[in-house]
Amino acid sequence: MQLTYRGANYEYDIPTVDMVEGEVAGKYRGQSWNYRYPRHIPVPKKYGGTNHSAKRDFQAGSRDAAAASAPYSAVEPSPTVKEVAQVHRANICSILDRRQQVAKAKGDSRLLRLLEIEWKQMAC
């Protein structure tokens, strides 16, 4: 495609992106339409339900299953609530520790007392 910017002509080739169709998102004028994702981005899983893209691959049957499931092989399982809570608690404790160090460096005894109370409540 020939383009011009401030009198300078240049040729621009639109890059092609390999797209993967996701689940059916809805209907418009009687036609189904799907989400589309670039192949390098994993298709997100739905929370609390079945993965519709895996269901679609299973229903395809005659297609090559290895090629159809290739984009989904890199998706890691989502963390459990317990794992997320542990990471969250560890982050809060590290922030609290850093705040205590800064309060000690500044010599702010009032803030140190408040942070010690918060530390006891968290039981880090």
Side-chain angles (χ1 to χ4, degrees), residues 8-92:
N9 295 327
Y10 63 97
E11 188 69 28
Y12 177 71
D13 293 324
I14 298 173
T16 59
V17 178
D18 191 19
M19 300 295 282
V20 176
E21 284 194 9
E23 63 189 60
V24 174
K27 287 193 173 220
Y28 178 72
R29 294 188 175 185
Q31 299 293 321
S32 295
W33 62 275
N34 299 20
Y35 289 114
R36 298 184 72 208
Y37 303 96
R39 186 166 290 281
H40 67 282
I41 298 175
V43 176
K45 291 186 177 183
K46 288 191 67 130
Y47 291 105
T50 60
N51 186 350
H52 295 286
S53 55
K55 182 179 174 183
R56 186 194 73 227
D57 292 340
F58 176 74
Q59 290 173 344
S62 62
R63 289 188 292 171
D64 182 19
S69 65
Y72 311 114
S73 62
V75 177
E76 295 179 6
S78 59
T80 64
V81 173
K82 187 175 180 180
E83 293 169 342
V84 171
Q86 288 174 344
V87 170
H88 181 65
R89 186 177 187 78
N91 288 339
I92 289 175

